[in-house]
Amino acid sequence: MSRGAFSHFELLVLTAVVRLGDGAYGVNIAGEIEEHSGRAVVVGSVYGALERLEGKGFVTSRLADPTPERGGRAKKYFRVTAAGLRHVREAQRVLTALWRRVPQFKGGLA
Amino acid sequence: MRSSPPPALAVWLLERFSGNNALVGDLVEAFGAQRSTLWFWKQTMVALLVIHAGALLALTGLVALFAIGRRIAIPGVNADALAALASGTGGTFRVYDVLSGGSLARGSVLALAIHPYTTAATAVELGAWLRRRASGRITGSKWIVRGTRMLAIIVAGTQALGLTLFLERQSQVPGGLALVGHSGWTFRIPAILALTCSTLFLMMISDRLSKAGTANGLLLVFAAGAFVGLFPARSIGVVPQLAMNLAIVWITSQAYRRDLCAFAR
């Protein structure tokens, strides 16, 4: 697998980061995926995916100030990079192009 | 917002073993926003599994390696005779046997296990510490790594020679079995090579695991050996033994072809 390739879950996480903008962090990224996929998401898995995406240069992170409701622990915010955004767009383009050629999906049928 | 705190044990486990403070904070925050205790425990356990999946997988592989490796006898040694000799001993021999994955009592090529490396690491670290205390000079990590590897090879070779000489001199084997078929350098050289190379192989695995950030490779190899050593090995037939020998030779040759040059640098 090339350095730029990512798994289905990583694509979901990256897309959620794009959607949440500057306020993306572990809990709301997991919530965003749960809301749209209808499946329970483990926050630890989200962090695993974010770590890999950060290693590939698709997201960057920054630590905010610690807060009492987090037991004095800092929140880690994630933001998509230009390379990450390019890969999300590319994934969208490829998937849309493929779906258009699947007869079962024509007319919006799933 | 709820007022009760999250399960203290789960928080402790996360803080101790996740190495990710932001994740702990996220889970505490989500728990405060009406998530259940069961949810918190599930998140904790799965997070720890995900974070340590690589180490668990590596540990499983190492356990399998020791379980197979301890069945491959040192060339020229009658493993059954050695097992008969070892059955009457205890104390230090038994402890060392357990730590080598049960390889010592079976006269296996893994008899030295990773111990030459741990011995060398301790000696080099101690030497670096003494040098710092005496002259205030700090030994570079590059030299520590190189020194540890070189010393480990010397220790492994020396221990292998000692073990082969020890095996040659055993004459009190129950049942009058011969421990070593033909004494002398025709036995010692292949035996020393097999023992030293097996330790080098374990060192290479340990280094790769540490370098990849999977876990502390030395600790993982040591733990896997000790775990396997707790279970007695059963004899298997000649054909499976031969097949395993060939498989190990092939795997080792592949691994060395790819990594020995990098390892020796």
Side-chain angles (χ1 to χ4, degrees):
Chain A
M1 192 179 276
S2 75
R3 186 175 159 80
F6 40 53
S7 69
H8 174 65
F9 188 67
E10 284 170 16
L11 179 60
L12 291 179
V13 170
L14 193 55
T15 311
V17 172
V18 174
R19 195 175 145 85
L20 291 163
D22 286 343
Y25 72 105
V27 171
N28 66 2
I29 295 169
E32 186 77 11
I33 299 169
E34 272 182 358
E35 191 187 324
H36 291 94
S37 69
R39 288 157 70 178
V41 174
V42 175
V43 182
S45 302
V46 171
Y47 269 95
L50 285 167
E51 225 169 76
R52 292 191 294 275
L53 290 169
E54 198 166 13
K56 289 172 187 172
F58 294 165
V59 295
T60 54
S61 65
R62 67 177 171 87
L63 284 173
D65 291 332
T67 55
E69 67 268 20
R70 298 169 58 84
R73 296 172 188 91
K75 195 181 276 187
K76 198 173 191 180
Y77 285 108
F78 292 87
R79 195 175 179 184
V80 71
T81 63
L85 200 57
R86 212 166 39 244
H87 273 79
V88 173
R89 285 201 180 119
E90 179 65 10
Q92 186 198 23
R93 188 191 66 74
V94 171
L95 288 171
T96 310
L98 281 169
W99 283 327
R100 281 204 191 110
R101 284 165 176 77
V102 179
Q104 289 92 328
F105 293 163
K106 276 187 180 163
L109 291 173
Chain B
M1 290 285 287
R2 78 166 69 201
S3 55
S4 62
L9 179 62
V11 173
W12 181 82
L13 284 171
L14 277 170
E15 283 179 332
R16 181 73 184 79
F17 299 109
S18 76
N20 187 341
N21 215 27
L23 166 67
V24 188
D26 277 8
L27 293 180
V28 169
E29 183 189 315
F31 180 80
Q34 301 304 317
R35 291 285 196 169
S36 68
T37 304
L38 184 68
W39 176 88
F40 197 91
W41 269 109
K42 187 183 159 195
Q43 291 283 335
T44 301
M45 299 322 289
V46 178
L48 292 177
L49 269 177
V50 168
I51 290 164
H52 297 291
L56 289 170
L57 199 66
L59 186 64
T60 310
L62 284 166
V63 165
L65 179 75
F66 271 101
I68 295 168
R70 71 175 175 177
R71 295 170 190 278
I72 301 168
I74 300 167
V77 170
N78 182 342
D80 292 330
L82 184 60
L85 177 73
S87 65
T89 58
T92 314
F93 185 89
R94 176 65 191 142
V95 170
Y96 199 87
D97 182 45
V98 167
L99 294 178
S100 71
S103 296
L104 185 59
R106 293 194 62 82
S108 145
V109 289
L110 291 177
L112 300 181
I114 193 87
H115 305 313
Y117 204 23
T118 52
T119 307
T122 309
V124 170
E125 286 290 342
L126 188 65
W129 180 78
L130 287 171
R131 185 168 179 248
R132 197 170 64 240
R133 292 270 297 180
S135 63
R137 295 170 72 182
I138 296 169
T139 310
S141 59
K142 193 173 137 189
W143 288 104
I144 289 182
V145 170
R146 275 187 185 177
T148 304
R149 285 175 181 166
M150 291 309 295
L151 187 61
I153 293 168
I154 294 166
V155 172
T158 311
Q159 287 186 349
L161 175 65
L163 182 61
T164 52
L165 292 174
F166 167 78
L167 292 172
E168 275 184 341
R169 286 169 193 177
Q170 297 308 305
S171 55
Q172 303 297 316
V173 183
L177 293 164
L179 201 60
V180 175
H182 301 282
S183 298
W185 288 106
T186 50
F187 159 67
R188 285 174 213 150
I189 290 173
I192 290 167
L193 278 174
L195 287 162
T196 310
C197 288
S198 299
T199 295
L200 283 178
F201 183 54
L202 293 177
M203 281 166 59
M204 186 189 73
I205 293 173
S206 157
D207 281 349
R208 284 184 67 97
L209 288 172
S210 298
K211 199 175 171 186
T214 310
N216 181 334
L218 197 59
L219 187 69
L220 219 55
V221 175
F222 189 86
F227 177 76
V228 174
L230 295 172
F231 301 94
R234 291 196 191 97
S235 290
I236 56 168
V238 175
V239 175
Q241 169 97 31
L242 193 65
M244 282 195 298
N245 283 14
L246 288 172
I248 290 287
V249 167
W250 184 80
I251 291 166
T252 311
S253 65
Q254 291 294 310
Y256 269 82
R257 202 177 62 182
R258 287 176 190 153
D259 295 304
L260 188 63
C261 296
F263 175 73
R265 268 202 296 274

